Amino acid sequence: MGRSGSSLDVGIVLREALAAACGLTGAQRGVIVAVDEDGAPTDDVYCSGFTETECRARAAWPDAGRSFAHLRSLPGPLRVDDYASYLRSVGIEPLPGLPHTFMALGIRHGDVDAGHFLLGDKADGARFTAEDEETLVLFAAQTAAAIGNARAHCAERRARAHLEAMIETSPVGVVLFDAANGRPHSLNREARRIAEFLRVPDQSIEDLVEVILCRTADGRQVPPAELLAAALVDGRNSVRAEEMTLCVPDGRSMRVLVNATSIPGDAGTVVVTFQDLAPLDEADRMRAEFLAMISHELRQPLASIKGSADILLEENLDPAETREFHRIIAEQSGQMRRLIGDLLDAGLIEAGTLSVAPESADVAALVEGARTAFATGGGRHTVMIDLPAGLPPVMVDRRRVVQVLGNLLANAARHAPAATQIRVAAAREGKFVALSVADEGRGIAPERLPHVFARNVAAGQAGGHGLGLAICKGLVEAQGGRIRAESAGTGHGATFTFTMPAALDHPRPATGPASATREPGEGARVLIVDDDPLTLRFARDALSAAGYAPLVTGVPQNLPSLLRAEKPRLVLLDLRLPGSDGIELMALVPELAAVPVIFISGYGRDETVARALDAGAVDYLVKPFSPTELVARVRAVLRRHEEPEPFTLGDLVVDYARRRVTLAGDAVDLTATEYELLRALSVGAGGVVTHAALLSRVWNDRMNADANLVRVFVRNLRRKLGDDAASPTYIFNVRGVGYRMPEAAATGAG
């Protein structure tokens, strides 16, 4: 037992103790179960006399935990002649195959539970005696000491590993020197990096120590041996935070901050730390660069103000010229005010004293506030807003979020051509709402992405983004969010996304009069296509106030991509567009066949309205129209398309509300894709539904979907409906175009 207790391998100790205890007591079966610091059994289980099957069954015993808890609650050893009966008497269901005679004792190391020692089935059916119990107590104490020693050893190794990892990953170089010969015997990663910089190829670190010199700030050159000797004076640290330059004979050098100390109780070892001061020099350089940038940014508007003021004072100008110079002064003064505000914010962020006042805010209202400020501030880019329905309110400082969005919009406008769009989108990300601003500008090179939020990256530099993005980062992080930049590379635009905590415990703010009573289709995306910015703004504001999610564009060429990407529920389409005609677009853009279209136009002649409706439009609005009329028309169309009546064609009935299809009263078993195909065809009954429209509506334009796939599913659908392709009743082929179903009224009841 003494040999077992001296081993650090706890497994060996426990197996030997178990074997010895079984041998001395005559037990045919024995188990030692180790527990963790919380008293829960671990995977360390040692068995004797059990088959592998019995061990697995014991491990899966549902009441094992209760059994161990009961044994742990006993004041001393347990010795019984019928273990199964004993367990039932304390309310525990025994496991089949448990020992008959039984003896157990908890293993304790000090005041901590270490496990359980169990013995059972004494040879020849005899009972366990008091002497056997004393033997069990003796071996339990031995195993407790072994487990305690092993835990202490593991804790010591773990603490040592943590300390070594901390030193190894430290940004400060750490070297342990032998004080007797001045040679290093241990270096961390940063110390090895410094040595690699100073030594020549094939030179060992020991040889480097022989030639290196430490030059102090006053010009003295100190050999490493003198530095080590100073650290050993009176056993105290006599070299503390002294700036030195490490020099080697070929002229290379490195400026470092040096500390040297002896280790208490180990006079033969000196610890020397080296902190590379190059990053601090770089910080000073960046600070000077930052001040130069700010000086340049402030000097430019100041020069414009000074020049305009001088001309106003010295020249006789006509009123128009005077107003123009006043406008320049006001504009440049506003620019200086914004720059000074950014500087103040940057200082507060740097000092960690920026204050925010979070409150529940509606995302749409925040975006609209930033968009309005951008437009009134001279922004020439079209801002397309894409906010999905059902976004929760966010807990933010409203003014600060509008400031972030304004900075991101200004940044996008600065880097993207005026003819391109800036897109603002939102999405849920767990407990956050993410807002993104995307441009189609020059993009960001991959190596610059990690640095775009650095405050010293001047806007005038290639790929620079000015102080605004650094302000954005500070404002977002002060409110518990994160900000990131993404770009596919130079020439591919950039997207900046920041997150805001969702106000999950707050009700959604009302967005307009219609919010009190939600109507069918409310919150749906509505795409507005018009080249008149006033109409776009008017329609967007009216639909936003009614609870819809409008998307706007003045470029008809963007219509196909927007329909595919955004999946709007309805399109408001101007009849007259630059270079195209709305009625022509109905025929040229197949995606329009899958969505209801309302024409908006200043032309109200009957024949024009008739042409539009014949082209497939569901309604026609003549400009000017009121917000009430616009919202009412949109709501009526969405209601019809959201809740269509069941479709009946002969024996075929499609119940859209229940997603149920019957044929002569019998349910038809359709796959999800087959049902969506039948729904698309029946909703468009009476007209032709093209292959492209079906691919868009049923397959969402997946890359592997084509007209052949549509034909395969139509063939399967016809088979399930009992329809004959040669003489169809329900689905008719329009060669080279698509398919059609007759209108329900065309066949009546039969």
Side-chain angles (χ1 to χ4, degrees):
M1 287 183 61
R3 183 174 59 84
S4 297
S6 64
S7 174
L8 285 177
D9 188 333
V10 69
I12 294 176
V13 173
L14 298 187
R15 290 188 186 93
E16 291 181 351
L18 182 61
C22 288
L24 291 174
T25 61
Q28 295 178 316
R29 296 185 176 191
V31 178
I32 294 178
V33 179
V35 299
D36 58 22
E37 287 80 354
D38 298 325
T42 67
D43 293 333
D44 297 323
V45 179
Y46 304 91
C47 299
S48 175
F50 288 91
T51 65
E52 185 177 345
T53 301
E54 289 173 330
C55 288
R56 285 199 301 268
R58 188 177 189 85
W61 182 21
D63 276 353
R66 293 180 60 202
S67 172
F68 289 136
H70 175 72
L71 292 177
R72 192 163 52 247
S73 68
L74 298 177
L78 172 68
R79 178 161 48 98
V80 296
D81 296 334
D82 189 343
Y83 186 38
S85 298
Y86 174 79
L87 288 177
R88 291 191 184 95
S89 69
V90 295
I92 299 175
E93 183 61 30
L95 178 72
L98 286 175
H100 187 68
T101 55
F102 182 77
M103 187 167 56
L105 179 63
I107 303 172
R108 297 185 62 83
H109 182 255
D111 295 330
V112 179
D113 288 324
H116 306 280
F117 206 133
L118 317 173
L119 298 175
D121 289 342
K122 190 166 181 175
D124 302 326
R127 298 178 177 180
F128 286 108
T129 64
E131 289 77 7
D132 295 332
E133 188 175 302
E134 292 177 0
T135 301
L136 177 62
V137 171
L138 180 63
F139 277 99
Q142 180 73 16
T143 55
I147 292 174
N149 292 338
R151 285 181 177 175
H153 178 66
C154 289
E156 181 181 343
R157 291 179 57 188
R158 187 162 54 246
R160 180 185 180 89
H162 290 171
L163 179 61
E164 289 176 350
M166 185 168 60
I167 294 175
E168 179 65 16
T169 58
S170 171
V172 176
V174 181
V175 184
L176 299 183
F177 283 92
D178 188 327
N181 55 29
R183 290 187 172 273
H185 59 77
S186 181
L187 296 84
N188 73 341
R189 183 169 58 191
E190 175 64 6
R192 289 193 296 271
R193 184 192 68 81
I194 293 174
E196 285 296 321
F197 173 78
L198 293 173
R199 74 185 184 93
V200 296
D202 300 328
Q203 182 184 38
S204 68
I205 294 177
E206 289 78 7
D207 293 337
L208 174 64
V209 173
E210 296 292 335
V211 299
I212 200 170
L213 288 176
C214 305
R215 188 171 63 239
T216 63
D218 58 6
R220 291 185 302 109
Q221 292 189 343
V222 181
E226 184 179 328
L227 184 70
L228 300 179
L232 290 171
V233 174
D234 297 330
R236 294 191 301 272
N237 181 10
S238 56
V239 180
R240 177 169 299 180
E242 185 171 349
E243 184 180 318
M244 296 184 178
T245 301
L246 304 181
C247 308
V248 290
D250 63 5
R252 285 176 297 123
S253 64
M254 176 181 290
R255 202 163 64 90
V256 295
L257 194 66
V258 178
N259 283 274
T261 183
S262 58
I263 300 177
D266 184 3
T269 302
V270 176
V271 180
V272 182
T273 63
F274 303 90
Q275 182 178 356
D276 187 0
L277 295 180
L280 297 179
D281 295 337
E282 177 65 13
D284 288 339
R285 185 192 65 78
M286 291 169 60
R287 187 179 299 108
E289 214 173 79
F290 173 72
L291 292 174
M293 179 193 75
I294 293 302
S295 175
H296 171 77
E297 294 284 349
L298 289 174
R299 188 179 294 115
Q300 184 175 347
L302 186 60
S304 297
I305 293 171
K306 179 68 166 60
S308 299
D310 288 344
I311 293 174
L312 286 172
L313 289 172
E314 298 174 4
E315 303 288 342
N316 293 321
L317 307 174
D318 61 40
E321 290 177 314
T322 300
R323 282 195 301 272
E324 180 62 19
F325 282 114
H326 283 157
R327 184 195 63 78
I328 292 173
I329 291 174
E331 184 180 279
Q332 295 301 316
S333 297
Q335 174 67 5
M336 284 193 67
R337 185 183 178 205
R338 286 191 293 272
L339 284 170
I340 293 171
D342 283 349
L343 279 173
L344 291 174
D345 285 340
L348 293 174
I349 291 169
E350 188 76 15
T353 57
L354 180 73
S355 61
V356 294
E359 58 181 325
S360 181
D362 182 46
V363 176
L366 297 172
V367 173
E368 182 58 24
R371 187 207 62 77
T372 301
F374 174 74
T376 56
R380 299 181 179 180
H381 291 71
T382 300
V383 178
M384 193 180 75
I385 298 174
D386 176 15
L387 302 181
L391 281 177
V394 290
M395 285 298 294
V396 293
D397 186 314
R398 300 186 186 191
R399 182 176 67 86
R400 293 301 194 179
V401 169
V402 171
Q403 182 181 352
V404 170
L405 279 170
N407 283 354
L408 293 179
L409 288 172
N411 177 74
R414 186 164 59 245
H415 293 87
T420 60
Q421 290 183 338
I422 299 173
R423 180 181 171 188
V424 179
R428 283 293 299 272
E429 288 187 2
K431 296 181 179 180
F432 294 84
V433 174
L435 265 179
S436 63
V437 176
D439 63 65
E440 301 173 21
R442 64 190 181 195
I444 307 171
E447 65 273 13
R448 295 197 64 82
L449 275 174
H451 309 292
V452 295
F453 297 106
R455 70 172 190 173
N456 63 302
V457 181
Q461 297 175 350
H465 293 265
L467 186 61
L469 292 184
I471 300 296
C472 290
K473 183 175 185 293
L475 294 179
V476 169
E477 292 180 349
Q479 301 179 81
R482 292 291 181 269
I483 189 168
R484 61 183 183 269
E486 298 167 295
S487 177
T490 305
H492 295 281
T495 300
F496 291 86
T497 303
F498 67 95
T499 59
M500 302 172 289
L504 300 178
D505 298 331
H506 292 74
R508 180 180 173 82
T511 56
S515 299
T517 56
R518 190 168 179 84
E519 294 288 341
E522 197 169 320
R525 293 185 183 180
V526 178
L527 175 61
I528 310 165
V529 186
D530 199 308
D531 63 324
D532 179 12
L534 293 178
T535 300
L536 287 178
R537 180 178 296 184
F538 174 83
R540 185 201 61 227
D541 292 347
L543 293 175
S544 294
Y548 297 99
L551 298 90
V552 298
T553 182
V555 185
Q557 290 78 10
N558 293 340
L559 183 57
S561 60
L562 287 173
L563 288 169
R564 287 192 295 268
E566 306 299 339
K567 306 295 182 189
R569 298 273 299 283
L570 184 144
V571 175
L572 291 174
L573 181 62
D574 189 13
L575 186 64
R576 295 283 184 257
L577 290 163
S580 61
D581 178 274
I583 294 177
E584 293 176 357
L585 287 175
M586 293 288 291
L588 295 175
V589 181
E591 291 86 357
L592 282 174
V595 62
V597 176
I598 299 178
F599 272 110
I600 50 177
S601 174
Y603 298 88
R605 296 175 60 89
D606 291 345
E607 56 269 26
T608 305
V609 176
R611 283 182 58 225
L613 296 176
D614 288 341
V618 297
D619 204 346
Y620 192 102
L621 265 171
V622 179
K623 301 177 184 178
F625 45 80
S626 68
T628 303
E629 182 183 7
L630 173 63
V631 171
R633 297 285 189 100
V634 168
R635 184 177 298 140
V637 170
L638 288 175
R639 183 185 293 113
R640 291 199 302 270
H641 282 74
E642 186 174 271
E643 300 176 351
E645 294 293 325
F647 176 81
T648 303
L649 181 62
D651 292 336
L652 176 65
V653 178
V654 182
D655 187 343
Y656 303 113
R658 300 164 61 189
R659 291 182 64 88
R660 187 169 184 267
V661 179
T662 59
L663 193 63
D666 296 328
V668 181
D669 185 19
L670 299 180
T671 66
T673 302
E674 289 167 349
Y675 173 80
E676 292 300 330
L677 178 60
L678 180 59
R679 175 187 171 86
L681 292 171
S682 59
V683 167
V688 178
V689 185
T690 65
H691 292 121
L694 290 172
L695 288 170
S696 175
R697 182 174 296 184
V698 180
W699 283 273
N700 293 321
D701 291 321
R702 289 199 292 268
M703 295 299 292
N704 60 344
D706 56 19
N708 289 327
L709 183 64
V710 177
R711 296 187 186 99
V712 170
F713 273 86
V714 168
R715 184 169 62 247
N716 294 339
L717 183 58
R718 279 174 169 159
R719 177 176 53 80
K720 292 186 177 182
L721 298 179
D723 206 15
D724 184 359
S727 180
T729 302
Y730 304 119
I731 304 176
F732 292 79
N733 182 38
V734 181
R735 186 175 299 277
V737 180
Y739 300 91
R740 68 175 179 86
M741 292 185 72
E743 292 187 41
T747 59

